[in-house]
Amino acid sequence: MEDFIKLAEEGNFSRAAQARNLSQPAFSRRIKALEEWVDATLIDRDTHRIALTPAGAAFRSVAEELLRRLALGRDEARALGAAQTSTLRFASTHALSVTFFPDWLRGFEEESELGPVSLIADHMAACERIMLEGTADMLLCHHHPSARHRLDEGNFRSVSLGDDQLIPVCVPDSCGTPLFPLPGKDGEFLPYLEFDEHSGMGRVLAASQLIERGGAQLRPVFRSHLASVLLRMARDGKGIAWAPMSLCASDLASGRLMKAAEGWDVPIEIRIFRPRQRRSTAVEAFWRRLPAAE
């Protein structure tokens, strides 16, 4: 099941096999064995990028739900056997793991000892998978009501922890004005450092339709799911990047970067998600210390 989900995410046998620490022939045999067990072709191998068949797309949601319920069942069994760990297991998108999580958690530790804490930092698509599989108890991420995500309200609940905003930044020119001012001119495209399909902030920016509505003249020159990497490229003068204020505030204060224009910000929330099913005693106690859940 985990091999199949990783292949669906990567769209490539070689990358998926590497991520699962398997040789490609062994990985392919396992996928084939799964298809034989399901008695249906799950993978369309005739396309340039590996894609799921309709049967594969339907089975993917079943596989993710099964893995998540297995993880939950395992935790419940541990609790009944008095062997459940007291560790708080967090997942977080990369940007928040650096800019938000340490100080936020320190505020709780100053009030009372939390016990063991673990953190997995990854891009949004991977964090969703981690939560669906039950590998983490809670997820910290940026959120926008228009942006799609896979943590549906029927199975997950969430709490808002604060506000942030995505802002377009670039280096200043010799006159102290943006080197790449938005929206650009017809026929003169501005270099664009864009989020890839794994990025939660990329989903937010796309859902806002800000670029399309504003008529920005952009030409993608670099893609990454890491806001920190896009920000580094922006500092080097490679183009415009949208970055969370929480990550680029020091660059703006120092003048190393500046807004590419006013009126191109996207308001976003910082939210924490958890499964609706009861978790460990430690998780439930921590959750009660948060603002009222929605």
Side-chain angles (χ1 to χ4, degrees):
M1 298 292 184
E2 291 173 344
D3 293 342
F4 169 67
I5 292 170
K6 176 54 67 174
L7 180 58
E9 290 177 351
E10 296 291 343
N12 181 280
F13 271 93
S14 179
R15 290 197 301 270
Q18 184 178 15
R20 295 287 295 152
N21 295 315
L22 292 167
S23 68
Q24 186 168 333
F27 183 86
S28 297
R29 287 195 298 271
R30 288 164 66 144
I31 296 297
K32 188 64 177 177
L34 178 64
E35 289 180 309
E36 291 174 355
W37 180 79
V38 176
D39 195 22
T41 301
L42 305 177
I43 307 298
D44 183 353
R45 297 168 174 82
D46 295 330
T47 56
H48 175 69
R49 175 180 168 83
I50 296 299
L52 297 181
T53 64
F59 186 70
R60 177 179 181 174
S61 61
V62 175
E64 289 172 336
E65 175 66 11
L66 177 58
L67 288 172
R68 188 175 66 83
R69 293 189 67 82
L70 280 171
L72 291 172
R74 177 194 60 198
D75 288 350
E76 290 173 2
R78 285 176 175 172
L80 290 173
Q84 186 179 39
T85 177
S86 60
T87 299
L88 295 173
R89 303 176 301 171
F90 291 93
S92 173
T93 51
H94 282 287
L96 290 178
S97 72
V98 175
T99 63
F100 181 82
F101 182 79
D103 290 339
W104 175 73
L105 194 68
R106 190 178 301 117
F108 289 96
E109 291 174 331
E110 289 173 354
E111 296 175 8
S112 61
E113 186 175 349
L114 291 179
V117 174
S118 71
L119 173 67
I120 302 172
D122 215 321
H123 55 69
M124 185 60 182
C127 285
E128 287 173 330
R129 175 174 53 80
I130 288 167
M131 290 297 290
L132 289 167
E133 292 176 357
T135 308
D137 301 305
M138 291 169 278
L139 166 64
L140 283 164
C141 63
H142 283 103
H143 174 76
H144 188 278
S146 298
R148 60 180 176 83
H149 63 78
R150 299 169 62 197
L151 307 180
D152 64 274
E153 293 183 1
N155 292 308
F156 293 89
R157 57 195 301 202
S158 67
V159 168
S160 177
L161 300 178
D163 298 318
D164 204 345
Q165 54 184 332
L166 280 175
I167 61 173
V169 295
C170 67
V171 294
D173 61 17
S174 58
C175 298
T177 58
L179 182 61
F180 306 114
L182 286 167
K185 301 176 182 178
D186 289 339
E188 297 181 15
F189 292 98
L190 302 175
Y192 178 33
L193 311 170
E194 67 176 345
F195 292 106
D196 69 17
E197 66 275 9
H198 297 298
S199 168
M201 283 182 282
R203 296 181 194 174
V204 168
L205 188 58
S208 74
Q209 298 185 321
L210 179 70
I211 293 174
E212 294 80 4
R213 288 188 288 105
Q217 303 295 304
L218 302 177
R219 175 175 57 87
V221 295
F222 184 79
R223 302 180 77 220
S224 175
H225 64 267
L226 290 171
S228 58
V229 172
L230 298 180
L231 202 56
R232 175 61 185 270
M233 297 289 286
R235 292 187 194 116
D236 291 341
K238 302 299 184 182
I240 297 172
W242 265 263
M245 176 63 81
S246 57
L247 191 63
C248 66
S250 60
D251 291 298
L252 296 174
S254 68
R256 183 162 50 178
L257 291 173
M258 64 186 306
K259 280 190 176 185
E262 294 294 337
W264 292 80
D265 301 352
V266 180
I268 50 178
E269 282 185 302
I270 299 171
R271 294 190 78 86
I272 184 169
F273 287 80
R274 59 155 290 177
R276 287 193 176 274
Q277 291 90 342
R278 182 172 177 80
R279 306 299 283 173
S280 71
T281 301
V283 171
E284 297 298 335
F286 181 84
W287 191 259
R288 287 193 293 271
R289 298 170 67 179
L290 300 177
E294 297 179 5

